[in-house]
Amino acid sequence: MNRERATSLGREPHGSSDDSDLLDFSANANPEVPDGVERVYRAAFETARTYPPEPPDAFRAAAADYVDCDPEQVVPTPGGLAAIRLAVSLAVDDGDTALLPAPSFGEYAREVRLRGGEPAFVDADRVLDADPRGHALAVVCTPNNPTGTGYDRDALLAFAERCRETDTVLLVDEAFLGFTERESLARTDGVVVARALTKLFGLPGIRAGFAVATGDLGAALRGARRTWNLSAPALATGEYCLRQEGFVRDTHERVRLERERLRDALSERYEVAPSEAPFLLLDVGDRDVDRVVERARDRGVAIRDARSFRGLDSHVRVAVRRPAENDRLLAALGVGGGGAGEGGSDGDGGVESDV
């Protein structure tokens, strides 16, 4: 990694509000966590007094069961972004190009540039139709962030085959796949799958995730992984969460129902993209995005200004939370009557027209 490049590249903006007075819809992590997870985390203190097991076989076994692969193919990482960085670092060298979806997660391009590569952007809706020839890396985020677009498995496999034919590493970011019924691409040759516990299990601060890859690619990832790169509490918590099948089922159902309820309501006022993720992308049209974000904040709700995503200039992104919290979001965005008494309406009982 070049020092001057690292110095010149700024940080990518992300969702999440540090204001405890705001209900945070700008981040897209699950507001629920599995029962018993705090107990597991606290119990891991004693194991933290020694180095974690190397390799962490129990965590790898749980992750392998979760995505249906061989434990040997699992490479534990401190969060999904660390898995992405590891894959990019092995695939991209100075002067290489990487095929990246847009709009999508900004860290892909940043990691490529850190390695001296150049992003080649393609519309996220058509990324699977793109020609990977000549690119060292191709990236697909499924469901895509921030659009919520899910991709057909057969189409993904066909794209993976084209990538293999052109010696292009395919990185599939499945950070939000756990919110869907879609099957992971783990075990697919030539593919690096990146997964995180951040989103589905509501634990962004734990920093636990993993990559999955087969063959020589998997061997390279295992060789490049830092020893002891997950703490003992992160390993214990991750292993526990990955085995909570009931929690995952309940989350699927809640998110599905609430996402559709929110989409129906918000569509009265905004253009809302179809989504398979725990968030919705809203086109606010000719309204001022800053004004929409500020008015929501004035009403106690933080939403994500999505203009930081490439190609979006009139959009915000909102998370899907619990039902009562979602009512507050609707009121803050001037939709529906439920929850308006919790700060959603203006003093005269009406809602300002620019929100």
Side-chain angles (χ1 to χ4, degrees):
M1 188 184 298
N2 180 277
R3 181 167 55 184
E4 291 182 2
R5 267 198 308 269
T7 302
S8 65
L9 282 175
R11 292 290 178 183
E12 287 294 321
H14 296 284
S16 187
S17 171
D18 295 327
D19 189 337
S20 60
D21 292 330
L22 296 178
L23 184 55
D24 191 5
F25 283 84
S26 67
N28 42 36
N30 195 343
E32 302 282 356
V33 298
D35 289 340
V37 70
E38 182 177 351
R39 170 182 52 79
V40 172
Y41 182 81
R42 290 181 180 277
F45 174 77
E46 283 302 316
T47 62
R49 299 182 67 190
T50 60
Y51 285 107
E54 187 59 47
D57 289 332
F59 179 91
R60 293 171 79 194
D65 288 344
Y66 185 71
V67 296
D68 190 23
C69 71
D70 190 305
E72 183 72 10
Q73 298 167 352
V74 173
V75 181
T77 58
L81 183 53
I84 291 166
R85 168 168 282 199
L86 189 58
V88 173
S89 69
L90 290 175
V92 177
D93 290 319
D94 274 330
D96 286 339
T97 59
L99 189 65
L100 305 182
S104 197
F105 188 39
E107 294 289 351
Y108 307 139
R110 185 174 187 275
E111 290 297 329
V112 167
R113 291 184 174 115
L114 278 171
R115 296 294 162 182
E118 184 64 29
F121 293 103
V122 62
D123 191 306
D125 288 339
R126 296 192 290 272
V127 64
L128 299 186
D129 298 323
D131 185 354
R133 227 173 341 192
H135 299 295
L137 175 74
V139 177
V140 177
C141 179
T142 180
N144 186 50
N145 178 19
T147 62
T149 306
Y151 297 99
D152 176 75
R153 179 175 173 81
D154 288 341
L156 278 166
L157 289 172
F159 185 60
E161 183 175 358
R162 299 206 309 278
C163 288
R164 286 194 296 273
E165 291 170 353
T166 59
D167 292 324
T168 303
V169 173
L170 174 58
L171 170 61
V172 180
D173 183 357
E174 297 181 350
F176 299 100
L177 197 70
F179 289 92
T180 77
E181 301 295 337
R182 294 186 184 271
E183 186 179 350
S184 173
L185 243 66
R187 309 183 315 279
T188 306
D189 291 340
V191 173
V192 178
V193 161
R195 297 292 290 243
L197 276 70
T198 301
K199 309 302 184 182
L200 181 60
F201 298 106
L203 296 168
I206 296 293
R207 309 313 304 148
F210 58 95
V212 180
T214 65
D216 292 343
L217 187 54
L221 289 171
R222 291 192 296 275
R225 180 181 72 89
R226 290 184 295 110
T227 305
W228 307 310
N229 67 333
L230 265 74
S231 69
L235 289 169
T237 303
E239 178 192 349
Y240 177 81
C241 287
L242 289 165
R243 299 201 181 279
Q244 301 308 302
E245 296 179 3
F247 174 83
V248 172
R249 286 194 302 271
D250 291 345
T251 296
H252 284 178
E253 185 66 5
R254 173 177 55 80
V255 170
R256 182 185 66 81
L257 292 173
E258 285 299 297
R259 181 178 59 226
E260 292 311 305
R261 182 172 76 90
L262 281 176
R263 186 165 187 266
D264 288 345
L266 290 166
S267 294
E268 298 174 9
R269 200 167 177 84
Y270 307 98
E271 183 178 333
V272 186
S275 175
E276 295 185 22
F279 51 80
L280 292 166
L281 181 68
L282 282 58
D283 187 340
V284 304
D286 58 3
R287 299 175 181 86
D288 181 83
V289 173
D290 288 328
R291 182 65 171 158
V292 173
V293 173
E294 289 168 7
R295 287 297 295 155
R297 185 180 183 88
D298 289 344
R299 295 165 178 171
V301 169
I303 62 175
R304 173 72 189 273
D305 181 345
R307 291 175 297 180
S308 58
F309 291 95
R310 185 182 183 88
L312 301 182
D313 56 11
S314 60
H315 296 75
V316 297
R317 190 193 66 194
V318 298
V320 178
R321 296 180 61 93
R322 304 176 183 94
E325 294 169 332
N326 294 334
D327 286 341
R328 285 188 59 186
L329 172 70
L330 294 177
L333 291 176
V335 177
E342 298 179 52
S345 62
D346 296 312
D348 61 358
V351 177
E352 287 194 358
S353 60
D354 63 345
V355 177

